[in-house]
């Protein structure tokens, strides 16, 4: 097993390898890159626009998972800082904030818990049909093993069984295995997941570090935008909190998307046009080769698509037509909300293919262009046009395609675009962020 120090070294090396690749592939004059880096280092974070509404949405650590899902969905945000209610009066942000909860982390937990609920429901139904509780418990233990996701969440088989048997599952037969139970439970199963105990009262704090935990690395208003852009590109953060010295509350919350929108507003300025007018191939984009693009086929199950995102720690996938490289559509981790907010989709999620999922979402929503129409560009597209698409469509990635069949060559992410505009001065990270931030990023 790798030691903590070895894991830290591997992560640091991964940051450097990515950024070194970016810098080596950019066909831009060194003087231009140095001038831009110097300029961004002199722009204070305080000059960056505030979040919409001017107030950063925070999630209390003791909030229920179902309430957190509702807030993130209704406000259309993917992540939020988690505040410890017990440290409300603390002036130290390290005590006040526990981390950043990612929307996908919550939903992945819910889906895994849903699967276990189906297993337990089958077992509980067996008991209701006359099979002893000992046998039902054995079925559950056999299906789960000793260390399932419920153990991580602090839930027990008995608690789930109690939730299910409370008027929901008494009339179910014992002949259902777990997959069949999950397929056929309908509205009752949906209610169990979000509105029954123990799911309803499970807190955000319980799952915060168990599923895709996001580091909390704040900057101050007088920090430079270069530091923020490096954190959002080289160091793989998706958002950076801004905290005023002496005031532990979050002053602003800068995301990758917000930086891309800020870059788009710079169109017409010489420095921006000089870089953005280049075709993406001149900037070495896409940085990822075709064989490394993670995708999903349109005839695969939608859960397989979301599982691939989880396993590969990525936020979206191109959907291919069968075994070809022709792109059919896009799915992202945020699309998983439809499984929760649209019960008619959620009730048969185990047999739902990616194509059926996309078609159903398209017919059930007004804004379906992000999921139905493939979001693509060509190798000859300019960086400016890519930024326009990412910003105007409010998406996190665009797929590079070629040929009459639109075969996928690679993917360009927000991280990649931000990386095109900056370099990292020698020893900048060590001098600017210090040891504490290095430790957080290396966890």
């Amino acid at each position: 097993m790798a030691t903590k120090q070895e894991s830290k070294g591997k992560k640091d090396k991964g940051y450097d390898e990515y950024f070194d690749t970016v810098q080596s592939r950019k066909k831009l004059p060194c003087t231009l890159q140095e001038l831009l880096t110097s300029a961004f280092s002199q722009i204070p974070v305080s000059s960056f626009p505030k979040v919409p509404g001017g107030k950063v949405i925070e999630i209390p650590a003791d909030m229920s998972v179902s309430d957190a899902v509702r807030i993130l969905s209704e406000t259309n945000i993917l992540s939020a800082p988690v505040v410890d209610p017990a440290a409300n009066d603390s002036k130290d942000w390290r005590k006040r904030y526990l981390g950043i909860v990612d929307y996908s982390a919550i939903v992945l937990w819910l889906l895994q818990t849903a699967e276990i609920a189906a297993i337990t429901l089958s077992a509980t139904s067996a008991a209701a049909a006359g099979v002893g509780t000992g046998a039902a418990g054995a079925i559950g233990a056999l299906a789960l093993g000793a260390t399932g996701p419920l153990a991580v969440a602090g839930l027990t088989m008995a608690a789930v069984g109690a939730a299910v048997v409370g008027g929901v599952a008494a009339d179910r037969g014992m002949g259902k295995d777990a997959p069949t139970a999950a397929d056929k439970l309908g509205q009752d199963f949906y209610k169990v997941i979000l509105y029954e105990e123990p799911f309803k009262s499970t807190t955000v704090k319980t799952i915060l570090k168990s599923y895709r935990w996001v580091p909390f690395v704040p900057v101050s208003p007088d920090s430079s935008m270069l530091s923020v852009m490096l954190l959002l590109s080289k160091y793989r953060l998706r958002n950076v909190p801004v905290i005023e010295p002496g005031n532990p509350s979050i002053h602003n919350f800068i995301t990758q998307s917000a930086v891309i929108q800020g870059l788009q507003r710079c169109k017409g300025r010489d420095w921006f046009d000089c870089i953005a007018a280049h075709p993406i191939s001149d900037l070495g984009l896409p940085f990822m080769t075709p064989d490394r693009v993670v995708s999903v086929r349109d005839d695969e199950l939608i859960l397989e698509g979301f599982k691939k995102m989880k396993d590969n720690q990525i936020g979206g996938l191109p959907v291919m037509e069968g075994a070809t490289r022709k792109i059919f559509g896009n799915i992202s981790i945020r699309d998983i909300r439809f499984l929760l907010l649209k019960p008619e989709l959620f009730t048969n999620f185990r047999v739902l293919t990616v194509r059926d999922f996309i078609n159903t979402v398209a017919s059930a929503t007004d804004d379906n262009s992000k999921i139905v129409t493939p979001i693509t560009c060509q190798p000859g597209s300019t960086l400016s046009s890519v930024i326009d698409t990412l910003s105007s469509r409010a998406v996190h990635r665009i797929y590079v395609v070629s040929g009459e069949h639109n075969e996928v060559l690679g993917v360009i992410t927000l991280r990649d675009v931000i990386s095109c505009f900056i370099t990292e001065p020698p020893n900048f990270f060590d001098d600017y962020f210090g040891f504490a931030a290095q430790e957080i990023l290396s966890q």
Side-chain angles (χ1 to χ4, degrees), residues 76-223:
N76 196 30
I77 58 176
L78 294 180
S79 58
V82 177
V83 62
D84 185 355
N88 261 341
D89 298 329
S90 175
K91 298 297 182 182
D92 186 349
W93 62 264
R94 295 172 183 82
K95 295 180 180 178
R96 178 177 171 83
Y97 294 101
L98 301 179
I100 296 175
V101 68
D102 191 279
Y103 183 94
S104 60
I106 293 179
V107 178
L108 287 168
W109 174 82
L110 280 169
L111 286 179
Q112 291 198 36
T113 307
E115 183 175 356
I116 293 167
I119 295 171
T120 309
L121 182 56
S122 293
T124 308
S125 301
V131 179
T133 55
I139 294 172
L142 180 64
L144 273 178
T147 56
L150 283 183
V152 175
L155 308 176
T156 65
M157 292 294 293
V160 179
V164 175
V165 80
V168 177
D171 61 340
R172 308 296 179 186
M174 65 171 288
K176 298 182 175 68
D177 58 10
T180 305
D183 291 342
K184 304 300 183 183
L185 289 181
Q187 290 286 343
D188 288 341
F189 184 58
Y190 176 75
K191 290 175 183 176
V192 167
I193 297 306
L194 286 183
Y195 300 111
E196 300 292 336
E197 298 294 353
F199 308 96
K200 183 179 177 180
S201 61
T202 300
T203 64
V204 171
K205 183 178 181 179
T206 305
I207 65 170
L208 183 61
K209 290 194 176 183
S210 300
Y211 291 81
R212 202 177 178 183
W213 179 71
V214 180
F216 189 90
V217 184
V219 297
S220 66
D222 59 357
S223 298

Side-chain angles (χ1 to χ4, degrees), residues 387-398:
I387 291 174
D388 285 342
T389 299
L390 291 170
S391 180
S392 62
R393 301 286 291 275
V395 293
H396 290 192
R397 61 198 52 78
I398 184 171

Side-chain angles (χ1 to χ4, degrees), residues 221-374:
D222 59 357
S223 298
S224 73
M225 280 305 300
L226 176 61
S227 64
V228 171
M229 294 174 76
L230 282 169
L231 287 172
L232 295 176
S233 56
K234 177 177 179 178
Y235 296 102
R236 297 193 66 178
L237 297 188
R238 291 183 292 276
N239 38 65
V240 177
V242 181
I243 295 180
E244 294 180 352
N247 182 356
S249 298
I250 294 180
H251 178 71
N252 201 359
F253 200 63
I254 303 177
T255 64
Q256 289 177 327
S257 295
V259 169
I260 294 298
Q261 291 167 8
L263 288 171
Q264 185 194 33
R265 289 192 290 269
C266 293
K267 186 180 293 187
R269 299 186 180 185
D270 291 344
W271 64 266
F272 177 86
D273 293 344
C274 185
I275 291 180
H278 282 268
I280 58 174
S281 56
D282 280 2
L283 296 160
L285 295 168
F287 300 135
M288 184 181 295
T289 56
D291 60 298
R292 295 186 60 194
V293 176
V294 181
S295 63
V296 64
R297 290 168 40 156
D298 62 338
D299 55 359
E300 289 186 89
L301 296 180
I302 187 62
L303 283 187
E304 179 62 24
F306 291 129
K307 182 177 184 297
K308 286 184 178 182
M309 293 184 218
K310 176 198 171 190
D311 292 345
N312 292 278
Q313 291 288 293
I314 53 179
L317 298 173
V319 179
M320 308 298 195
E321 287 192 3
T324 71
R325 298 290 298 175
K326 182 179 180 180
I327 190 168
F328 166 75
N330 330 261
I331 57 171
S332 73
I333 199 69
R334 74 176 74 183
D335 296 326
I336 207 170
R337 70 188 186 277
F338 293 112
L339 291 181
L340 296 176
L341 303 180
K342 297 286 183 181
E344 65 273 18
L345 289 180
F346 190 56
T347 53
N348 68 338
F349 69 90
R350 276 188 168 274
V351 295
L352 197 66
T353 66
V354 176
R355 180 180 285 269
D356 289 341
F357 173 79
I358 288 177
N359 290 338
T360 305
V361 170
S363 63
T365 62
D366 295 328
D367 183 16
N368 56 50
S369 58
K370 294 178 187 176
I371 188 169
V372 177
T373 306

